[in-house]
Amino acid sequence: MARVGVFICHCGENIARTVDCARVAEYAATLPGVAHAVDYRYMCSDPGQRLIETAIREHGLTGVVVASCSPHMHEVTFRRTVARAGLNPFLCEMANIREQCSWVHEDREAATAKACELVRLMVEKVKWNTALEPIHVPVTRKALVIGGGIAGIQAALDIANGGREVILVEKGPSIGGHMAQLSETFPTLDCSQCIMTPRMVEVKNHPNITLYTYAEVEKVDGYIGNFAVTIRKKARCVDEALCTGCGECQSKCPQGKLKTSVIPNEFDLGLSRRPAIYVPFPQAVPNVPVIDKEHCRYFQDGKCGVCQKVCPAKAVDFTQTDQVVTEQVGAIVVATGYDVMSSGEYGEYGGGRYPDVIDGLQFERLLSASGPTGGEVKRPSDGKVPETVVFIACAGSRDRSHGVPYCSKICCMYTAKHAMLYKHKVHHGQAYVFYMDIRAGGKNYDEFVRRAIEEEGAVYLRGRVSRLYQKDGQLIVKGADTLSGQPVEIAADLVVLATAIQARPGSDALAQMLKVPYDGYGFLSEAHPKLRPVETNSAGVYLAGACQAPKDIPETVAQASAAASKVLGLFSMEQMEREPTVSVVNERTCIGCFDCERVCPFGAIEHREIRDRRGNLLKVVSHVNEGVCAGCGACATTCRSGSIELRGYTDEQVFAQIAAVGV
Amino acid sequence: MMSDTFEPKIVAFVCNWCTYTGADLAGTSRMQYPANVRIIKLPCTGRISPLFIMKALEQGADGVLVSGCHPGDCHYTAGNYHARRKYTIFREMLHFLGVEPERLFFSWVSAAEGRKWADLVAEVTDTVRRLGPRRSAWGEPVEGIAAPRLSANPVPFEAPAGTFAAQAEAMREKAKALLAGGEVGTVIGYEQGTLPGTARPAFVSTPEEVDRLVWNEHCHQNLAVYAARKPAKPGKVALVVKPCDERSLVGLLQENRLAREDVVLIGMACHGVQSEGALAPRCAACQTRTPALADPVIGEATPPTATADPRLEQIARIEQMAPAERWNFWQGHFSRCLKCYACRAACSLCTCERCLAEKAQPRWIPAPPDGAGNLSWHAVRAWHLAGRCVDCGACSAACPADIPLYLLNLKLAQVVKDAFDYEAGRDPAAAPPLTTYREDDAQEFIR
Amino acid sequence: MSYAYFPGCSQQGMAAEFDRSARSVCDRLGIALSEIPDWVCCGATPAHATSHLLSIALPALTLAKVKDADAVATVCAACYSRLRIASHELREDAELRARVKEAAGVECAGEVPVRHLLDILCNDLGVAAIRERVKRPLAGLKVACYYGCLLMRPPKVVAFDDPENPRVMDEVLAAAGAECVEWPYKTECCGASLSLARPDVVCKLANDILREARDAGAHVIAVACPLCHTNLDLRQADVARQYGVRYEMPVLFFTQLLGLALGVPEKGLGLNRLIVSPKPVLEKLAAA
């Protein structure tokens, strides 16, 4: 038998001015199932709350309706109040007679009548409320970070320093990502390697971090707090435990003679060559080489084997095979970074045919002291120092015809940086920058660009380059200067294209593995563009860095720390507590059509086998994973047989409210 | 016209995150609007079932307002996209049944749009006030307006001579082979019916019994209705199917009711079926005379005619009627409904173990065969079949009260085709239209 | 394959040698050209610059007459562009088809593909077949293949090769024994119909083209468009006056060069209609 308590709040004058609260309380007392109805000046105050608590105990109330402000204001308050009195908090509902009644209607009669009805609706609903307990999901308090660039490194360090174990998986032979390829970073012109390598070393030495390099995530099962991840550690053919990083193997590899090697060095983006056994860059972490089997003579022809012979630590092991491991983790941070569009994409800019038309990342390698030219700016075709360099911004970005309508965010800044660094190295050189707009919105960013223009003398031309072509050993660049209204033709020795930042190939496959939505460009989607930038729709999977969208290093680091904080929040307790207003399936009536699975935005529907006592399969029905369900109710609406209910908003509850309108 | 004292009762179903908050903002900003709206809060428009709308109208609401987050902003990312598709179909259905479209409002109101909320409520209240109270109780005819009749022009039935006999022979051969070889335990086909000029379903499980099986212009039943049920005899089932019946199979496959390997399909190239001595109207415009999934396909189909579907003309005539007339048309038909549920039993896609009509708590569909109960039943049945009905005609043929159920189903199939470019029963791998969405789905009806 | 041939107006007038040499070449190569009966002007620039409907209706009038052909063949770049674009739009736009039917009284849905002769030579016949039939290879002749702007743009509708760096003409003429030079002005605009309104602009653009062809070492320029031809050949004298440079660079239609290689007699190629005579170059080659 229902014994509902109704509490009408005056909210001072806010409600009482237009709603006759005493009359509403009188009316409420007449409703079937209402055991107690009072009005009071300030329900949310201490005495007001005590009023409720006392009433619950004295009248043995089975449900409470507080008619006052919006539940967005005080639902939590009043639910705590009733809990203190021993009543399940989900047996307390609020009728909004302030924001949606007293404040928007002047007519006292109409407002009071409406308040009475709103109370009636809620009383009828609450009679169908059931006690709900928070859902506890156990959490494995270990995190997986996919990607060892600055985003992954930052996230891993933050989580590890927060006292939790982290597994960091990096596809390449070393962590460091693109940041390791940069020479100096804007706006400070810090040496990229210098600020990064301490972090890389910290990752390697951190007791809470397990580093898997040259490894890839193959499969992800499970859900938040309870992921099972399969990781393939590819065979380096070098024993990490024995290798001392002396580098003998690399220097003795016959494929490694610079003049004869055919193997393009990926780290230098094809501007130099490398041996078949190699470490990508000198500060690599771990400083253990890998053997590129596709180009290694031992693996291709069965010849050579020099590296094994010369290795003093006997670390080279041609028989090494891939190792597959499974790890149990509670949260996953995706930090797989970005790619740059190839400069060959633009037919107008040579279509990849001119060696002296390069992209921004290649120019970084030329500037870099550890790069193919030892930090001297020498052009790829003939090693000449370029006297005139043309930088073309927006080469690929903001261009629908190349499928990239978005802005790549970092190019204006790095182009200014390139112009500056070029001038630092080639004092008599002249830099030209063709730009559309200058996007320098960060701290000290605009000042940085002004420096390039005013102090380093870079000539900024507002206009696009229609095309460029090679003539007499130079690149003739034909563009426009819209500010002066003139076409411009520049004979350049080197052209640097700020090509678009793109998602890495395979980002869609990874997203599918993690059940994370991604956009048409391959960037992984955040749960909400403003308010939830590091979470995804897949509970327990977080995003950090450029895999979500192009961004610079400060933003990447901030986002990585944010993701780490989400992970640490999740890990703050052994069990995750979730609101119980989730869906539940009536397994008896469910026929397993799985339309619910199709509509669930969160992938919370699982298949459950129903077997008889002998183990025969009777049917496969839907089952809601309470750890993942977000409580939207799309499943309940879709289910034709009414076999799914959303707790807190069941059909009975809503039906009761609708029926109450008609009275 | 309307008396000045009529104050409409408007029920508003709103989502918690956007519209409810927007309404709160209107309150905080002290924007004034009429007091006729009663808000019922749900977490998301994805939870705002069309059944709520129907129930609100049934319970006496003069107008219903549904509002949620703008597409792309849903707190649960996709709830409103799914809701949008549902409302697209449901409002067309209610309109077809005779509910004035001006009584139903759909809007996207964000948490920042307090002004929009206030203006919307004022507009809704004003519009519904001018329309007047819901003319009658749910399911009751309107006084003084006659229920019009629709007639159909029969198309003669034609099939090349001897065709049926040859196909029947081949079909029996195949059935015998399947049974004798042990591939299937039961063949479900047609046999001579009780009355001359009729056929009825037959269940044979030995090669000897196969001789009972027939194939002719009276084989109108959709045998796919037995496909998802466990047969009495052990072993797989073979089904004799026409192309329309096969489309039911496609639907059953989409809904995991059976696996393809569980059933052998003996496909019959079709010449249409006879109804009241003429070609059944649904066969007149049928363009798929040859089954696509079945193996084998027996016979050569009579090519489709270029005839327009006569039933579309009937639908057009209903659509030309004013709402009150439409309402009476349907109430006139539904009043004969006995709640025998033969339509449900005959429909191969009705496979729920516990039908919503049997759910007592809450009682969405009143049980008695009165105006309210019948209207709710047929509305929900048609709604549940939207995007799924393959136009096999079984429901209309089974109805002892001659209710033109096909009109309602066909109308909704049209709506689904126009809005979502989807036809039921074509592709087993396709996602059913109400379980998927496109970001650019039409929404002209949503403010 | 059978081709419905659309000569185009220029090929009856100023560029008659283009038509003549094209027919001769196709005859030699066994490409069956069947002239579309009662064809009309494609509209060229005057149509598309003033009325979209007119620019589609005019080609539609001709295309509607094409029956039993695998493709429509054109030689003039502008005719190719207009016919192909019209065909594409008619195929995609039912409303446009209806308007054209109302305006011009013809029904055309762009079913028959519109192809340029270079496309047909390279992709249907194949350069190997051309090479086989070459009688007098253009050995030692350095050709700058000039494509102009219309042949490959807009790329999604008309291109049959890389719009930024096309190679079809180069391959066809290489099969004829010529040495096609790499040069950066393959697709730079010649000024087109500004030839009438702003000849000074045309002279500047033509000068750039001629200069780059010369600097790349070309003996002759090969073209596929009568207007390009006019701007580069007819206007060379004006260029000389404006820029003080006498290029003496013969500009031939690619079909004329191909015809020479296939052994078509000079009368069948209309070489005498060229303003800048190719004779000195050809004689020097023959002597070498």
Side-chain angles (χ1 to χ4, degrees):
Chain A
M1 196 58 231
R3 295 183 60 75
V4 177
V6 180
F7 302 86
I8 318 291
C9 184
H10 292 221
C11 194
E13 280 285 286
N14 283 308
I15 295 176
R17 200 177 61 82
T18 23
V19 171
D20 184 341
C21 299
R23 200 144 48 98
V24 178
E26 263 173 49
Y27 170 75
T30 65
L31 295 171
V34 171
H36 178 70
V38 291
D39 58 300
Y40 184 70
R41 257 182 104 63
Y42 296 107
M43 225 64 212
C44 57
S45 65
D46 270 352
Q49 292 187 48
R50 265 200 298 275
L51 204 67
I52 299 175
E53 290 173 60
T54 314
I56 290 172
R57 291 195 196 98
E58 276 181 12
H59 298 272
L61 298 180
T62 56
V64 162
V65 173
V66 181
S68 59
C69 50
S70 167
H72 286 181
M73 204 79 215
H74 273 309
E75 189 173 75
V76 173
T77 314
F78 291 119
R79 285 196 166 167
R80 284 206 189 116
T81 307
V82 309
R84 281 198 298 276
L87 186 67
N88 184 284
F90 290 91
L91 297 172
C92 170
E93 293 278 359
M94 286 181 71
N96 184 338
I97 60 170
R98 189 182 73 172
E99 283 87 334
Q100 293 180 5
C101 188
S102 72
W103 273 351
V104 292
H105 308 312
E106 283 288 322
D107 182 314
R108 200 171 164 75
E109 277 306 307
T112 305
K114 178 167 167 177
C116 288
E117 280 193 46
L118 291 176
V119 165
R120 182 176 73 230
L121 254 66
M122 273 316 174
V123 165
E124 290 306 315
K125 182 185 184 193
V126 102
K127 288 194 225 174
W128 288 97
N129 282 24
T130 53
L132 300 174
E133 300 298 329
I135 295 163
H136 292 107
V137 179
V139 175
T140 305
R141 299 198 279 178
K142 196 197 266 194
L144 169 71
V145 176
I146 308 178
I150 185 63
I153 289 171
Q154 183 65 42
L157 285 173
D158 282 343
I159 298 171
N161 286 333
R164 298 289 166 208
E165 281 179 57
V166 182
I167 297 164
L168 177 55
V169 175
E170 164 56 46
K171 197 167 167 174
S174 165
I175 54 175
H178 284 304
M179 190 171 165
Q181 292 172 300
L182 306 181
S183 64
E184 287 159 58
T185 59
F186 59 78
T188 46
L189 296 184
D190 275 300
C191 155
S192 183
Q193 289 276 7
C194 307
I195 56 179
M196 185 152 184
T197 34
R199 300 258 167 133
M200 288 164 60
V201 171
E202 213 189 320
V203 163
K204 176 156 157 296
N205 294 331
H206 205 295
N208 280 346
I209 300 181
T210 306
L211 180 59
Y212 293 141
T213 51
Y214 210 51
E216 286 185 59
V217 172
E218 269 196 351
K219 197 155 165 293
V220 177
D221 284 318
Y223 58 96
I224 182 172
N226 303 276
F227 291 109
V229 184
T230 308
I231 300 168
R232 174 176 297 271
K233 296 166 67 177
K234 297 177 288 196
R236 294 178 104 95
C237 296
V238 175
D239 189 330
E240 277 182 68
L242 297 174
C243 173
T244 60
C246 68
E248 271 298 289
C249 51
Q250 295 172 71
S251 58
K252 295 290 189 287
C253 174
Q255 300 279 49
K257 305 288 177 266
L258 274 172
K259 294 215 168 44
T260 53
S261 168
V262 296
I263 313 171
N265 182 342
E266 297 90 344
F267 194 76
D268 282 344
L269 300 150
L271 293 175
S272 70
R273 305 271 174 253
R274 61 159 171 77
I277 182 167
Y278 71 102
V279 151
F281 55 98
Q283 304 93 329
V285 169
N287 194 4
V288 176
V290 309
I291 293 185
D292 171 7
K293 290 184 184 173
E294 267 177 53
H295 291 105
C296 169
R297 282 206 207 138
Y298 179 87
F299 283 101
Q300 293 301 314
D301 314 318
K303 301 200 174 94
C304 192
V306 168
C307 52
Q308 192 176 53
K309 294 182 193 118
V310 302
C311 174
K314 304 264 179 291
V316 177
D317 176 9
F318 296 123
T319 64
Q320 210 181 66
T321 49
D322 291 356
Q323 234 195 309
V324 174
V325 300
T326 313
E327 293 277 4
Q328 306 292 332
V329 299
I332 301 176
V333 178
V334 185
T336 47
Y338 64 94
D339 229 9
V340 284
M341 182 193 265
S342 155
S343 50
E345 289 278 322
Y346 265 85
E348 302 94 301
Y349 302 158
R353 283 172 285 129
Y354 305 140
D356 293 328
V357 176
I358 59 177
D359 63 49
L361 207 47
Q362 287 174 311
F363 193 64
E364 290 282 346
R365 296 310 302 144
L366 292 180
L367 292 168
S368 187
S370 65
T373 54
E376 287 184 52
V377 183
K378 290 185 190 165
R379 63 183 198 169
S381 62
D382 56 11
K384 206 178 96 164
V385 173
E387 316 271 304
T388 309
V389 178
V390 165
F391 298 90
I392 304 180
C394 292
S397 311
R398 308 177 65 190
D399 187 347
R400 248 170 254 271
S401 72
H402 279 75
V404 182
Y406 56 85
C407 167
S408 291
K409 199 154 194 204
I410 59 176
C411 330
C412 284
M413 285 305 292
Y414 78 60
T415 297
K417 177 188 75 173
H418 286 172
M420 249 195 269
L421 293 177
Y422 164 67
K423 281 295 288 213
H424 289 178
K425 292 181 188 265
V426 184
H427 298 300
H428 57 280
Q430 179 59 59
Y432 295 93
V433 176
F434 281 93
Y435 71 99
M436 297 211 291
D437 298 283
I438 299 184
R439 296 180 166 184
K443 190 165 175 178
N444 294 314
Y445 280 24
D446 205 71
E447 299 92 314
F448 182 81
V449 177
R450 299 303 322 161
R451 242 177 80 193
I453 299 172
E454 288 163 15
E455 288 174 38
E456 308 294 351
V459 172
Y460 267 63
L461 298 159
R462 192 189 176 280
R464 288 191 70 90
V465 170
S466 63
R467 61 190 297 263
L468 57 89
Y469 57 92
Q470 202 162 55
K471 190 172 179 193
D472 299 332
Q474 285 198 298
L475 293 153
I476 312 297
V477 178
K478 296 177 77 164
D481 175 14
T482 59
L483 293 179
S484 66
Q486 298 294 324
V488 168
E489 204 172 282
I490 302 176
D493 298 311
L494 178 68
V495 172
V496 182
L497 304 178
T499 56
I501 301 295
Q502 298 186 299
R504 278 197 191 272
S507 64
D508 50 354
L510 179 66
Q512 282 160 16
M513 214 192 294
L514 296 164
K515 299 202 196 76
V516 170
Y518 53 97
D519 66 19
Y521 311 111
F523 292 113
L524 275 57
S525 299
E526 63 287 341
H528 189 281
K530 305 248 191 33
L531 299 180
R532 299 176 71 200
V534 297
E535 295 157 278
T536 64
N537 256 10
S538 205
V541 180
Y542 306 94
L543 301 176
C547 63
Q548 182 244 350
K551 54 175 67 72
D552 55 29
I553 294 168
E555 285 176 341
T556 299
V557 171
Q559 198 180 33
S561 292
S565 83
K566 292 287 177 193
V567 171
L568 290 172
L570 174 65
F571 290 177
S572 61
M573 289 178 296
E574 267 175 27
Q575 295 210 312
M576 203 173 70
E577 209 180 82
R578 302 191 80 232
E579 283 283 293
T581 48
V582 295
S583 289
V584 62
V585 178
N586 180 338
E587 292 178 355
R588 210 180 47 74
T589 57
C590 170
I591 57 169
C593 76
F594 292 106
D595 271 3
C596 50
E597 187 182 20
R598 289 180 166 119
V599 299
C600 177
F602 303 94
I605 302 286
E606 295 167 350
H607 292 218
R608 172 165 282 188
E609 292 180 342
I610 304 293
R611 293 183 181 270
D612 66 18
R613 272 184 253 252
R614 293 199 191 90
N616 299 317
L617 180 66
L618 295 175
K619 59 176 177 176
V620 180
V621 299
S622 173
H623 175 78
V624 177
N625 184 327
E626 294 185 332
V628 178
C629 174
C632 74
C635 52
T637 308
T638 301
C639 181
R640 285 181 288 275
S641 60
S643 300
I644 286 197
E645 285 290 13
L646 174 64
R647 293 198 185 110
Y649 297 95
T650 63
D651 273 359
E652 283 111 330
Q653 288 169 302
V654 179
F655 187 102
Q657 288 182 285
I658 300 172
V661 172
V663 168
Chain B
M1 240 309 193
M2 297 303 127
S3 91
D4 288 325
T5 57
F6 166 60
E7 278 306 321
K9 197 161 264 190
I10 318 267
V11 178
F13 298 100
V14 308
C15 86
N16 175 55
W17 301 94
C18 282
T19 303
Y20 193 89
T21 313
D24 276 352
L25 177 62
T28 325
S29 318
R30 309 298 195 274
M31 297 179 192
Q32 301 294 301
Y33 54 84
N36 304 58
V37 163
R38 306 288 175 263
I39 291 179
I40 294 178
K41 172 168 79 92
L42 284 310
C44 175
T45 43
R47 180 68 191 101
I48 302 177
S49 168
L51 295 182
F52 298 171
I53 302 174
M54 183 187 83
K55 197 45 83 170
L57 291 170
E58 183 207 295
Q59 291 292 311
D62 300 297
V64 176
L65 167 57
V66 175
S67 182
C69 304
H70 288 262
D73 293 347
C74 177
H75 180 82
Y76 304 96
T77 67
N80 55 1
Y81 288 132
H82 290 297
R84 181 167 61 181
R85 283 211 166 189
K86 293 186 163 78
Y87 304 149
T88 302
I89 301 173
F90 198 76
R91 65 182 285 275
E92 291 267 6
M93 184 181 77
L94 287 184
H95 185 32
F96 192 61
L97 289 172
V99 176
E100 300 99 316
E102 300 88 351
R103 291 194 188 272
L104 303 177
F105 284 80
F106 299 88
S107 67
W108 306 129
V109 172
S110 80
E113 291 178 310
R115 179 81 265 158
K116 185 174 179 184
W117 174 252
D119 289 345
L120 184 64
V121 172
E123 190 197 333
V124 171
T125 310
D126 188 53
T127 306
V128 176
R129 186 185 289 119
R130 278 187 283 118
L131 270 177
R134 280 222 57 235
R135 65 177 86 76
S136 57
W138 184 254
E140 295 308 318
V142 179
E143 297 285 299
I145 302 182
R149 303 239 149 259
L150 303 173
S151 61
N153 296 323
V155 176
F157 182 90
E158 279 156 21
T163 325
F164 279 120
Q167 281 180 297
E169 201 41 54
M171 176 261 298
R172 285 191 284 263
E173 282 296 309
K174 180 66 185 174
K176 281 193 181 129
L178 286 168
L179 286 167
E183 239 182 284
V184 304
T186 315
V187 173
I188 307 176
Y190 301 93
E191 64 181 350
Q192 174 61 44
T194 331
L195 301 169
T198 63
R200 69 179 182 206
F203 303 82
V204 303
S205 44
T206 65
E208 296 72 45
E209 286 178 291
V210 166
D211 289 323
R212 277 166 40 206
L213 297 180
V214 304
W215 170 245
N216 54 46
E217 64 271 27
H218 305 299
C219 295
H220 69 85
Q221 295 89 340
N222 183 349
L223 299 176
V225 72
Y226 303 111
R229 305 187 196 172
K230 203 162 150 35
K233 303 273 191 308
K236 287 201 223 177
V237 162
L239 225 52
V240 173
V241 289
K242 309 189 286 296
C244 46
D245 308 335
E246 190 188 64
R247 288 172 59 203
S248 303
L249 255 311
V250 171
L252 293 171
L253 289 170
Q254 278 175 292
E255 293 169 14
N256 300 304
R257 308 311 298 123
L258 82 170
R260 180 67 188 90
E261 54 272 15
D262 292 345
V263 62
V264 175
L265 299 176
I266 304 174
M268 309 303 287
C270 193
H271 317 287
V273 298
Q274 226 180 54
S275 160
E276 290 168 12
L279 183 65
R282 69 186 180 86
C283 302
C286 174
Q287 298 296 309
T288 325
R289 294 278 180 96
T290 309
L293 279 190
D295 178 27
V297 172
I298 296 177
E300 284 288 315
T302 305
T305 60
T307 329
D309 190 338
R311 304 170 299 167
L312 294 180
E313 212 191 288
Q314 294 177 314
I315 290 178
R317 267 187 275 150
I318 295 175
E319 290 181 319
Q320 272 150 26
M321 301 175 198
E325 232 190 314
R326 281 190 219 189
W327 182 262
N328 281 0
F329 171 82
W330 286 109
Q331 297 325 307
H333 280 295
F334 293 153
S335 64
R336 298 193 306 281
C337 176
L338 314 164
K339 283 294 193 62
C340 68
Y341 297 111
C343 47
R344 180 180 69 182
C347 178
S348 40
L349 290 165
C350 271
T351 56
C352 290
E353 283 168 17
R354 193 278 316 269
C355 174
L356 193 68
E358 261 86 59
K359 194 170 185 201
Q361 257 177 5
R363 191 101 231 182
W364 290 115
I365 300 164
D370 60 15
N374 291 354
L375 176 56
S376 298
W377 162 247
H378 288 290
V380 173
R381 199 192 80 91
W383 162 240
H384 276 186
L385 283 167
R388 302 167 64 229
C389 169
V390 297
D391 197 24
C392 72
C395 53
S396 309
C399 177
D402 290 325
I403 298 172
L405 299 169
Y406 61 87
L407 281 179
L408 201 42
N409 292 330
L410 194 56
K411 167 66 186 167
L412 292 192
Q414 258 190 321
V415 172
V416 169
K417 179 85 174 58
D418 290 339
F420 312 126
D421 196 26
Y422 178 88
E423 271 183 65
R426 298 289 175 198
D427 178 7
L434 287 176
T435 63
T436 185
Y437 62 89
R438 286 173 50 120
E439 283 177 30
D440 60 356
D441 277 335
Q443 52 171 43
E444 298 91 30
F445 65 95
I446 305 181
R447 288 127 179 298
Chain C
M1 302 251 301
S2 60
Y3 301 97
Y5 180 52
F6 180 81
C9 309
S10 304
Q11 280 62 247
Q12 313 259 281
M14 284 204 61
E17 64 269 31
F18 196 7
D19 176 61
R20 206 185 305 161
S21 56
R23 288 182 197 258
S24 307
V25 159
C26 286
D27 184 53
R28 289 280 166 139
L29 293 171
I31 296 175
L33 295 179
S34 168
E35 189 170 330
I36 302 171
D38 196 26
W39 56 268
V40 299
C41 172
C42 71
T45 310
H48 79 73
T50 54
S51 159
H52 176 252
L53 181 60
L54 181 66
S55 78
I56 306 295
L58 281 170
L61 278 172
T62 303
L63 292 171
K65 294 185 182 117
V66 175
K67 313 249 179 282
D68 304 322
D70 295 308
V72 170
T74 56
V75 291
C76 165
C79 296
Y80 170 65
S81 174
R82 292 316 316 156
L83 257 61
R84 180 127 171 173
I85 289 175
S87 180
H88 169 83
E89 289 195 32
L90 286 165
R91 216 177 306 130
E92 304 287 314
D93 189 343
E95 208 234 317
L96 182 62
R97 286 200 291 276
R99 284 169 56 217
V100 165
K101 177 154 183 229
E102 211 208 311
V106 289
E107 282 195 43
C108 177
E111 288 119 351
V112 184
V114 175
R115 315 268 303 281
H116 189 269
L117 184 58
L118 277 172
D119 179 15
I120 293 169
L121 287 172
C122 214
N123 297 317
D124 287 358
L125 188 64
V127 293
I130 299 176
R131 213 175 288 122
E132 269 171 42
R133 291 171 212 206
V134 163
K135 296 206 166 62
R136 288 165 22 206
L138 305 165
L141 183 68
K142 293 198 182 179
V143 182
C145 293
Y146 176 66
Y147 293 78
C149 60
L150 285 178
L151 279 183
M152 308 296 170
R153 299 209 273 258
K156 287 200 176 89
V157 183
V158 310
F160 52 92
D161 195 357
D162 181 344
E164 293 298 334
N165 187 31
R167 297 207 50 77
V168 274
M169 205 194 303
D170 298 66
E171 280 170 30
V172 165
L173 292 179
E179 189 190 320
C180 296
V181 300
E182 267 308 306
W183 67 303
Y185 267 59
K186 280 183 178 180
T187 53
E188 293 299 291
C189 180
C190 67
S193 38
L194 287 178
S195 203
L196 299 168
R198 290 289 305 271
D200 57 315
V201 172
V202 167
C203 280
K204 187 222 177 266
L205 296 172
N207 179 53
D208 288 344
I209 295 168
L210 290 162
R211 181 194 65 230
E212 293 301 326
R214 178 202 63 193
D215 288 353
H219 298 134
V220 301
I221 296 179
V223 298
C225 166
L227 198 44
C228 296
H229 187 268
T230 303
N231 287 346
L232 293 173
D233 179 46
L234 181 63
R235 293 244 174 262
Q236 258 190 58
D238 297 323
V239 171
R241 229 171 287 127
Q242 200 168 309
Y243 289 92
V245 186
R246 299 190 67 83
Y247 290 98
E248 303 294 356
M249 169 82 68
V251 183
L252 288 89
F253 290 103
F254 74 93
T255 41
Q256 291 175 308
L257 287 171
L258 186 53
L260 275 174
L262 292 172
V264 175
E266 286 197 9
K267 212 165 75 151
L269 297 173
L271 294 180
N272 57 326
R273 287 176 60 100
L274 302 174
I275 303 294
V276 179
S277 173
K279 284 216 186 316
V281 171
L282 295 173
E283 274 159 15
K284 207 170 14 150
L285 274 178

